Amino acid sequence: MISDRQLIESYRLGQREALECLINRYRDDLFRFCYHLSLEKQETEDLFQEVWVRVLRKLEKYDPERPFKAWLFQVTLNIHKDRYRKWKKLRERLALAWTDESSRFKETGDDAPLTEDFLMKKEEVLYLERCLRTLPKRYLAPLVLFYYEEFSYESIGEVLDVPLGTVKSRLNQGKKLLKAAMGERIE
């Protein structure tokens, strides 16, 4: 498999297919991260597109010694912060998103019968998501990056531009707050 560094260098040398390959490589992960930040389909798509536009403009400043995915997610988070500077507004939007049926996570293309077990698991996931969204923003991003995107502590530190100790502290505190929000023990 061609490395991110090779794809970026190929794109810099004029090979447009290299950019398409890079976008395809990170499309799903980035879109999912954008969704966790935005929670609305249109805003997710807008953020996703804005990220790639910014990446194209800033690609010459990318340091190839750094993991591309961490840089990509940092760009995403920075754009998101720019778009939603006021936490109060974001909290209101999150609250609305979780009460609006069209904004909830849905299974796609699953024709399996709706068993009681399936419905209970779905409700548990939705409950977890609702509880997660009640957390202060400083804890939400590390938890999403760690549990949903499976980033290492070091990569989370790069994305958030904070030291490793801060990542560990925010994850630990975020888990405690999530546990309190859920009213039960989480691991």
Side-chain angles (χ1 to χ4, degrees), residues 109-120:
D110 189 1
D111 294 331
L114 298 177
T115 63
E116 182 178 341
D117 187 47
F118 171 80
L119 293 173
M120 293 210 29

Side-chain angles (χ1 to χ4, degrees), residues 16 30 42 111 138 174 187:
R16 292 210 157 298
L30 181 62
Q42 187 59 52
D111 294 331
R138 67 184 302 138
E187 297 298 324

Side-chain angles (χ1 to χ4, degrees), residues 38-40 92-101 103-104:
S38 301
L39 294 176
E40 294 179 4
E92 290 169 5
R93 293 173 62 82
L94 290 172
L96 286 173
W98 284 108
T99 58
D100 178 9
E101 187 65 32
S103 296
R104 292 189 177 166

Side-chain angles (χ1 to χ4, degrees), residues 39-71:
L39 294 176
E40 294 179 4
K41 184 178 180 189
Q42 187 59 52
E43 289 195 32
T44 298
E45 291 171 358
D46 291 347
L47 178 59
F48 180 81
Q49 289 177 1
E50 189 174 340
V51 167
W52 285 111
V53 168
R54 175 98 39 104
V55 164
L56 288 175
R57 281 192 275 143
K58 304 283 184 178
L59 199 54
E60 71 277 353
K61 294 181 181 180
Y62 166 69
D63 176 8
E65 296 302 315
R66 200 171 163 207
F68 180 75
K69 186 175 182 180
W71 181 75

Side-chain angles (χ1 to χ4, degrees), residues 158-173:
E158 287 184 36
V159 170
L160 300 177
D161 196 25
V162 296
L164 184 60
T166 303
V167 171
K168 291 178 181 179
S169 173
R170 287 184 185 175
L171 280 170
N172 186 41
Q173 185 63 27

Side-chain angles (χ1 to χ4, degrees), residues 2 5 14 16 35-36 40 46 72 84 86 91 93 97 99 106 109-111 114 125 131 149 160 165-166 175 181:
I2 300 173
R5 180 184 285 185
R16 292 210 157 298
Y35 183 79
H36 283 296
E40 294 179 4
D46 291 347
L72 178 66
Y84 303 103
K86 295 186 179 184
R91 285 184 69 102
R93 293 173 62 82
T99 58
K106 295 184 173 101
D110 189 1
D111 294 331
L114 298 177
V125 168
C131 290
E149 300 302 329
L160 300 177
T166 303
K175 286 190 250 183

